[in-house]
Amino acid sequence: MSINLKTIKHISKLSRISVDEKKAEKLAGDLNSIFEFIEKLNELKTENIEPLTSVAETTLKLRSDEVKSKNLREQIIKNSPQENEDYFVVPKVIE
Amino acid sequence: MSDITKQSLSELIKNIKDKKLSSTEVTKAFVERSEKSKELNAYVTEDFSAAINKAKIFDEKPNLDLKLPGIPMAVKDLFCTKNIKTTAGSKILNNFIPTYESTVTQNIWNEGAILLGKLNCDEFAMGSSNETSFFGNVQNPIDKDLVPGGSSGGSSSAVAAQLTPITIGTDTGGSIRQPASFTGTVGLKPTYGSCSRYGIVAFASSLDQAGPMAQNVKDCALLHEIISSYDEKDSTSIDFKRNNYSKELTNNIKGKKIGIPKEYRVDGMPKEIEDLWKKGIDYVKDCGAEIIDISLPHTNYALPTYYIVAPAEASSNLARYDGVKYGFRADGENLIDMYEKTRSEGFGAEVQRRIMIGTYVLSSGYYDAYYLKAQKVRKLIKNDFDEAYKKVDAILTPSTPSSAFKIGEKTNDPVSMYLNDIFTVPVNLAGLPGISIPAGHDAKGYPLGLQIIGKAFDEQNILNIAYAMEEKINFKNKITDWWIK
């Protein structure tokens, strides 16, 4: 299997990471060597094996739906790169 | 007392409790040594003057019943600390100030410890050499231009160099045990679900665990006892009866059955590691334990499995860094452009690589071939351990396939970097506890570690084995303070 530049561009779009030509070529090289290494798993037959999704064999506990933290709005908004009073600000999305 | 920073955690606690030392004296000593050790680059954020103030307040009304009375401690910068910048070693979190405290660090402060600062680490804990940090390489105190291991490289460097009496790291594929091995220190990766993940910057949620890094096994046991707790804020935290790990620590391991997995004898492993392993086997035999040859047949598949599962989970966890609510933002022509530029400029190369791998293996048409396949192989790896533990109480292996390498030696070849974690990754995949203890030196004088892997929730047993071995090994770290002018 080989990951070409077109695939890299596709993954970068899905990942929301912009990639120029030079970076895409480097990534294609790296990912191909990593996937070559990963392909080793194909040696194993796994049709009848249950996938392991979590090693923690617990059932999720229920709790009452209560607000426990104090009002942190101001502090939380402060961490935002751009703010306007009570709102997070992003580039305009509606024309 | 002149050599305060040379004392172990247990000695410092005793001296504070006996009123031979004050918290202020101890804190000042570690601050001074940290100030003189900037060349190691172990810290991302220093909180020294606040630490000394907290120590003074502690000394005014010292509560000596606490387990860590007035003990200063620096922690890995992956743990959220309330009102103190938490970066995860990334540009994208360069200015992030959490509004909450991680459960693990809260447990530590509740026992009287004082934050010294935040320690460097690989970006989002993705790396084995601390070279992916946005804040630069960390020096290993063992030798100049030697990596301290990773991802908890600032932590291992700081403990080995005695900038902090003890610390905590996180371990997703070996990030506590490998740096411990590279710096001649002790590192424990607890059972998955033992320490809460609440407030730890997430990398791969089904694998991440916090754990102690220390100068000796006893200190390690004490800190583990403090950080391990059931926490309803982490849905995978497990409610089991925890031991008083330090009080119950014993070097009596007579009759314990120790497994030696033949698959860990990998091609190209240096003879020094092989010899060290043999020596380790002799030590546990000397302690009255029984050696049993075992097989973990899927060992060779652990790394490829890990490099699907961990990036897949990371790509999902790191989707939150979008430049909107916190952290770095790059300007863009529109919203999508802003996201793409923020993530391209905010994440380093290794993190981008892993997000891309993870996105690819989860993408439409590839999920079954990669992610589902890896989860099935993960099951086979766990089954291997379950089978082995029918015959043995613990497993002894080397911690790493080599000693520490030079800065820059492996940065251009991701796969050779990944191979560092060959002995540690299976433990995370199976959710088991593992401890690395220093066991000898190679020809260059660099430390080498041995790993003891336990059954789930059986930390006490592997701590005991480590404690018994430590006594026999009598390891002395060779640190010359070369970085202090």
Side-chain angles (χ1 to χ4, degrees), chain B residues 406-427:
Chain B
K406 289 281 177 186
I407 290 172
E409 198 179 311
K410 298 191 186 212
T411 35
N412 291 325
D413 183 358
V415 173
S416 89
M417 187 70 94
Y418 298 170
L419 288 171
N420 254 293
D421 298 330
I422 189 160
F423 299 143
T424 47
V425 150
V427 179

Side-chain angles (χ1 to χ4, degrees), chain B residues 270-482:
Chain B
K271 192 173 173 299
E272 290 165 318
I273 307 271
E274 178 82 37
D275 291 346
L276 180 87
W277 198 8
K278 281 188 192 137
K279 243 169 52 187
I281 293 171
D282 289 340
Y283 289 135
V284 287
K285 274 189 193 159
D286 280 355
C287 298
E290 189 188 335
I291 295 294
I292 296 177
D293 287 324
I294 57 164
S295 172
L296 299 167
H298 296 94
T299 299
N300 266 336
Y301 301 97
L303 271 178
T305 303
Y306 178 83
Y307 277 96
I308 294 173
V309 173
E313 294 182 14
S315 72
S316 166
N317 273 328
L318 271 60
R320 74 191 68 178
Y321 303 104
D322 57 5
V324 173
K325 299 175 293 300
Y326 41 74
F328 168 80
R329 176 190 290 189
D331 287 331
E333 285 165 22
N334 53 49
L335 188 64
I336 302 290
D337 192 45
M338 186 276 279
Y339 290 153
E340 291 184 344
K341 284 189 174 138
T342 294
R343 290 165 63 80
S344 174
E345 291 170 32
F347 291 133
E350 179 64 21
V351 172
Q352 293 190 29
R353 199 149 49 213
R354 298 214 198 176
I355 291 175
M356 303 276 269
I357 298 168
T359 304
Y360 184 65
V361 300
L362 291 175
S363 67
S364 170
Y366 296 99
Y367 179 90
D368 284 3
Y370 291 110
Y371 191 63
L372 192 67
K373 178 90 187 178
Q375 284 186 313
K376 289 179 167 192
V377 180
R378 188 175 178 185
K379 179 77 180 170
L380 293 172
I381 290 162
K382 185 168 183 293
N383 288 350
D384 285 354
F385 281 104
D386 289 347
E387 208 46 48
Y389 283 132
K390 289 180 186 162
K391 287 179 269 181
V392 298
D393 301 304
I395 294 167
L396 179 71
T397 76
S399 300
T400 55
S402 74
S403 64
F405 44 89
K406 289 281 177 186
I407 290 172
E409 198 179 311
K410 298 191 186 212
T411 35
N412 291 325
D413 183 358
V415 173
S416 89
M417 187 70 94
Y418 298 170
L419 288 171
N420 254 293
D421 298 330
I422 189 160
F423 299 143
T424 47
V425 150
V427 179
N428 298 75
L429 289 171
L432 301 172
I435 188 169
S436 174
I437 56 166
H441 295 94
D442 69 0
K444 288 174 276 187
Y446 299 165
L448 297 169
L450 285 174
Q451 174 180 237
I452 306 148
I453 307 167
K455 296 178 182 174
F457 311 112
D458 204 13
E459 276 83 347
Q460 189 70 61
N461 187 36
I462 59 170
L463 283 163
N464 291 347
I465 295 167
Y467 193 48
M469 288 180 74
E470 182 182 53
E471 221 173 62
K472 297 270 178 203
I473 294 167
N474 195 21
F475 176 88
K476 293 272 178 295
N477 223 356
K478 296 176 187 166
I479 291 182
T480 57
D481 287 6
W482 57 263

Side-chain angles (χ1 to χ4, degrees), chain B residues 81-151:
Chain B
T81 41
K82 192 174 176 178
N83 299 330
I84 290 167
K85 193 171 80 167
T86 299
T87 70
S90 182
K91 180 182 178 184
I92 214 158
L93 283 176
N94 193 11
N95 53 7
F96 173 59
I97 299 176
T99 57
Y100 53 92
E101 186 79 27
S102 84
T103 299
V104 160
T105 47
Q106 190 60 55
N107 288 353
I108 290 171
W109 318 137
N110 288 349
E111 289 296 341
I114 292 166
L115 176 72
L116 274 175
K118 307 293 293 289
L119 298 170
N120 209 332
C121 58
D122 278 300
E123 187 179 8
F124 287 100
M126 296 178 197
S128 307
S129 62
N130 214 109
E131 290 166 288
T132 73
S133 168
F134 176 64
F135 303 96
N137 297 327
V138 171
Q139 294 276 347
N140 188 331
I142 301 293
D143 200 2
K144 194 169 162 49
D145 297 330
L146 196 65
V147 303
S151 68

Side-chain angles (χ1 to χ4, degrees), chain A residues 1-4 31-32 35-36 39, chain B residues 360 366 370:
Chain A
M1 196 212 57
S2 163
I3 297 172
N4 56 26
L31 262 61
N32 276 317
F35 276 93
E36 200 178 302
E39 298 293 324
Chain B
Y360 184 65
Y366 296 99
Y370 291 110

